[in-house]
Amino acid sequence: MHDAHEVPAVKTPSSDPGKFERPPLLKKPKTLDDADSDSTPHFPGPLFPAVRRVATAPPSSRPPLSNLRVSVGDDPSPPDSPFSDRDWVYPAFLGHHPAKSRVALKASKLQKLDSPVLTARGRSDDPNCKGISEKQLAGAAPAKKVEKDVKLASSQLSMTRSNSGSGIASKRIGLFKQSLVLYLLAFTCMVVVPYTFYLQIRLQKLQEENNGLHTLCSDRLDDSESSKILPHEDRALVSDWSNTESRTVALYTVVVTLLMPFFLYEYLDYLPKLKNLSKRMKNNQEEVPLKKRIAYMVDVCFSVYPYAKLLALLFATVFLIAFGGLALYAVSDGSFAEALWLAWTFVADSGNHADRVGMGPRIVSVSISSGGMLIFAMMLGLVSDAISEKVDSLRKGKSEVIERNHILVLGWSDKLGSLLKQLAIANKSIGGGVIVVLAERDKEEMELDIAKLEFDLMGTSVICRSGSPLILADLKKVSVSKARAIIVLASDENADQSDARALRVVLSLTGVKEGLRGHVVVEMSDLDNEPLVKLVGGDLIETVVAHDVIGRLMIQCALQPGLAQIWEDILGFENAEFYIKRWPQLDGLRFEDVLISFPDAIPCGVKVAADGGKIILNPDDSFILKEGDEVLVIAEDDDTYSPGPLPEVRRGLFPKIADPPKYPERILFCGWRRDIDDMINVLEAFLSPGSELWIFSAVPEKDREKKLIDGGLDISKLQNVRLVHHEGNAVIKRHLEGLPLETFDSILILADESLEDSIVHSDSRSLATLLLIRDIQSKRLPNKDTSSTSLRLSGFSHSSWISEMQQASDKSIIISEILDSRTRNLVSVSRISDYVLSNELVSMALAMVAEDKQINRVLEELFAGEGNEMCIKPAEFYLFDQEELSFYDIMIRGRQRQEIIIGYRLPNADRAIINPSEKSQPRKWSLDDVFVVISSSE
C-alpha cells in the first residue's frame, strides 16, 4: 500500500551491467498540482504558494518502485506534499534545471559502505535519520542503485582529498620551517656533547696524574715537606686546568665561527621571519627571501653611503685581528693579549709568521697573513678607485666652480664660438673675464671644440662643466647665483622643442633658492613663444628671437644695400657699440648740446629716470637732461669716452632736399621660413603701394594660405604688398628658369623650414640656389662695362663664371641666409652675393644684451618696422659737392632733419666708418659719399 505522502517512484537505470548507460537528458520541467493529475502550474506569488520542481529523468524500461520512500528528519515538506525539500519547481522558460545531488558523505565513513541501501542524506545507521523501518531498508533499492551511489560517493571523496591537498602541503612547509629550531638544537648538541666527553676524559687523566703525584711525593718526602709542596702543586694544577679550559673554549669558538657563515648561507632563508615579513604575508604581498634582502641591503649601503667601503674594510681588519688572536691563543702557550699583538703583526706584515713553531701556530699564522694580504689589496683598490674617481670627476667637469661675477652660458649650439669671441672682446678692456659653459656634453669634447675655433680669448678664461641646466644641483655647481649674466642658448632641435626646453631652463633658474644676481638672456626660436617665457621669468628675462632678428635684418638689407655691414659693426664689440652711462656734468643741458659734447662718442638717446628708465631714441633738440638721466652713446668701449667742452660748429646753409618718394618694388622669397608671416608684415610697413612679393617654395600653394593665417597674418588687410605664389624646387634649374629673375629688385634666399634642424643641409641648399640664380641672371641680363668693376674682378680673372655672376650682382640684390659662419666666409670671398646673414649676428646680439640688458630695448626698436630705424642717406641731403665741413657740422645739419648721423662711407671704401675720430677736423665731402643715420620712420 502506498502511504499518503510517499514520493514519486525513483526511476533506476537498466539492470544490464554490460549496457552502456547514457547520461540523463534534460527536459522541460513539469509543474504538478498533486501527485496524480496534470493541471495548470502554480508559481510562487501572492495568490499561490511556492511550488517545487521535479527534474525529469530519461524513460526507463523498468517499472518504478513505488514502495521506495525515504523520509528524512527535519523535512520542511508538509505531510501531504509529494515533494521533498529539494524539488522546487521553476517555470519552463528559465531553462533546464537538473536536480542536484544532495548526498553529503564524510571521508571517514565511506569505508562502511557495505550496507545495501544509502539514504538521501547519509548512511542508514546515522542517528540523525529518523522514521526508517527495517522493512523499508530491506527492500528499498536494487544492487545497481547501491553501486551507483558508491561510485558517486567515491568521486566526491576524491574531490575532497584534492581540495585538502594544498592545505596539507602548506602545513608541511610550516612544520619544516618550525623544525629548523630543532636543527639548531641538534647542531648545538653535536658540538656540546663531544666537548663534554672530552672534558670528562681530561678530568680522569688529571685525577690519575694527581693521584700519581701524591703517591710519588708521599714516598720521597716526609709529611711536613709534602704538606707544603702539595698546596702549591694543587694551585698549579688548577691554573693549568683553567688555561687548558680557556684555550679549548677558544678553539671551539674559532671552529664554530668558521662554520657559522657556511651554515647561515645555506639555511638563511629558513630562519624565523621578522614581524614585518609576517605582516607582508598577511597582506598577500610577495615574500622576498631573507638572503636576497640582506644582499640588497648591503648593496644599497655601499651605493648610498660613500664611506661604507672604508668602514667595511676597517671592520674586516678588526675582525681578522680579533679572530686571529683568538685562534693563536687557542693553539699557542702565550696570553690572549700577546696573541692579539701577534695577529696584528701578521696582518701588517705577512713575513712575520716565518718563526712560528708547531703545526697549529703555523696554520693559524699563515691564515692570518693571507687575510692581511687580502685586506691590504682591498685597501689599495679602494685608494686607487678613489683617486681615479677624483681624476675622472675633474676630467669630466663634475667639480664645483668657485667664481663670482662671471658669465654663465647654458647649452651648446653652433653660435657658441662667435658668442665666446664677442664676450672675450668685450672683456678685453678689463684684462679678461671668466665664462662658464654648462652643457650636456663631455668636458673634454667641449674643450676640444673650443680649441678648434683658433681665436685669441685675450685673457678671458673659458671653464666647461658637464651637466644639465634642468637640474638644480648642476646649476649650483657652476655658481649660478653669483653670475652677473646668464645666457640660455637655443638647442639644435626644431623651434617648438627648443623653446620648450628654454622654458624649462627658465623655470629651473627661478627655482634657485639663493636667487639670481644677474639677468637672464634667452635665445628664442619662435616669436610666438616669447610672451610665455617672459611671463615665467619676469623682469629678469631678456629674450632675443634669432629668427626674428635675421628676418628683419634681411629685409632692411634688401631695401638698403650695405646696411648689413653697418649692423655687423654696431652689434659686434670689435668696433663701435652701444653704451649707457650717467654723466652728472651734463644735467641741465639740451640734447642738441649733448650731441656734440663727446669727442669720442656719438649720443643717440636718453634713458629717462623719471619715466621708469625708458629709453628715448633720437629725442628732440629741446629735451633737457635731468638728474638721474643717462645718455645712450655709440663708442669704441665703455672707458674710451667722456664729455668735453662744447666745440665751435658752423651751421651755414645747405640744400634742403626732401626724401625721394618710394616706388613699388618686386621682391622674391626663395624658400619658406617659419616666421614668414612676420617678414610679410615688415615688408608691408616698409614698401610702397603696388609692390609685389613673389614666394617660390616647395610648399603647396593650397597649404600656404593656411600657414599664413595660422601665423596671424590677415592677407585681406595687405595694402602695399601683393602676394604671388609659385611652387617649385629652388635647387632645380628648370624650376628657377620659369621665374623672371632679371626683373626682381631684391632676392632673398631663406633657410628653408624643412631643413632648419640641419645647418649643413640648409646652407648647402642656400648656396646651390644662390649659384643657380646668379648663373641664370648672368645669361639674361645685358653685359655691363667691365671698367666699373675692374677692381672687384681683379682677384678673379682666372674664373670667367665668377666674373659673370659678379656682373649680374650689380643688377640685382641678393641676400643669402647662411647659418654656418664658415660657409658665410666662402660666399663673402667670392662676392657673388651682396651680403650673407648668419647666426653670427645673433651671437653678437646675445653678447651685447648679456653685457647690458638695457641695450635689448634699443635693438628691438631699431629692428621694428615702426619708430626709429637705421638707414643710409646720400650726401646731397646735408652738403654741397666738395664742401669743406667737419663731422660736427654735418651732425648739426642732420638735426634739422630730425636725424642723428653716426657715420659715413666713402665711394671707394669697403666698409663704413662708425663714430669717426677727429670730429672737429674739417674735410672735403663728395656727393658720392653716403651717411649712416638714425631717423624716425614717421
Side-chain angles (χ1 to χ4, degrees), residues 552-564 662-667 669 679 682-688 691-692 745-748 813-815 869-872:
R552 293 177 182 273
L553 284 177
M554 289 185 71
I555 293 175
Q556 292 186 13
C557 296
L559 298 178
Q560 299 187 55
L563 191 60
K662 294 182 179 180
Y663 296 98
E665 297 190 25
R666 178 179 286 187
I667 299 177
F669 280 180
M679 297 180 67
V682 175
L683 283 175
E684 173 69 14
F686 280 118
L687 297 180
S688 60
S691 301
E692 292 182 356
D745 299 302
S746 301
I747 299 176
L748 277 69
I813 300 173
I814 294 184
I815 304 297
E869 61 180 354
M870 191 175 299
C871 56
I872 299 176

Side-chain angles (χ1 to χ4, degrees), residues 310-356:
L310 294 177
L311 293 177
L313 183 62
L314 178 62
F315 175 78
T317 304
V318 174
F319 177 77
L320 180 60
I321 294 174
F323 184 76
L326 187 63
L328 284 176
Y329 175 69
V331 298
S332 62
D333 298 334
S335 62
F336 183 68
E338 185 68 19
L340 288 177
W341 174 254
L342 288 176
W344 158 246
T345 58
F346 295 160
V347 171
D349 187 0
S350 59
N352 287 336
H353 67 280
D355 58 347
R356 294 292 94 192

Side-chain angles (χ1 to χ4, degrees), residues 9 78 154 317 338 345 347 365 452 601 620 645 651 678 688 698 788 838 892:
S154 300
T317 304
E338 185 68 19
T345 58
V347 171
S365 60
K452 291 180 180 179
D620 297 333
R651 300 181 181 270
D678 298 325
S688 60
S788 61
S838 66
I892 294 299

Side-chain angles (χ1 to χ4, degrees), residues 758-770:
S758 177
I759 295 178
V760 176
H761 292 170
S762 178
D763 289 352
S764 300
R765 185 182 181 88
S766 300
L767 184 58
T769 303
L770 172 63

Side-chain angles (χ1 to χ4, degrees), residues 820-867:
D820 194 347
S821 59
R822 294 170 295 182
T823 310
R824 168 188 175 275
N825 295 332
L826 294 176
V827 179
S828 300
V829 169
S830 63
R831 296 183 180 180
I832 58 177
S833 178
D834 291 87
Y835 194 74
V836 180
L837 288 171
S838 66
N839 286 328
E840 189 172 2
L841 289 176
V842 180
S843 302
M844 294 177 180
L846 289 173
M848 183 168 289
V849 178
E851 290 294 330
D852 191 352
K853 61 181 295 186
Q854 304 173 102
I855 304 300
N856 197 25
R857 308 176 200 173
V858 179
L859 299 180
E860 288 177 353
E861 182 174 351
L862 293 177
F863 289 152
E866 300 178 355

Side-chain angles (χ1 to χ4, degrees), residues 65 98 215 223 251 309 429 461 542 573 645 740 743 754 839 908 915:
L65 299 177
T215 304
D223 295 337
L251 180 62
K309 295 180 181 179
S429 59
S461 302
E542 295 292 335
F573 287 95
T743 63
S754 60
N839 286 328
N908 296 327
N915 183 29

Side-chain angles (χ1 to χ4, degrees), residues 9-12 23-28 30 54-60 99 148:
V10 179
K11 298 180 181 181
T12 60
L25 301 176
L26 299 179
K27 297 183 178 181
K28 294 183 179 180
K30 297 179 181 180
V54 175
T56 60
S60 176
K148 182 177 181 180

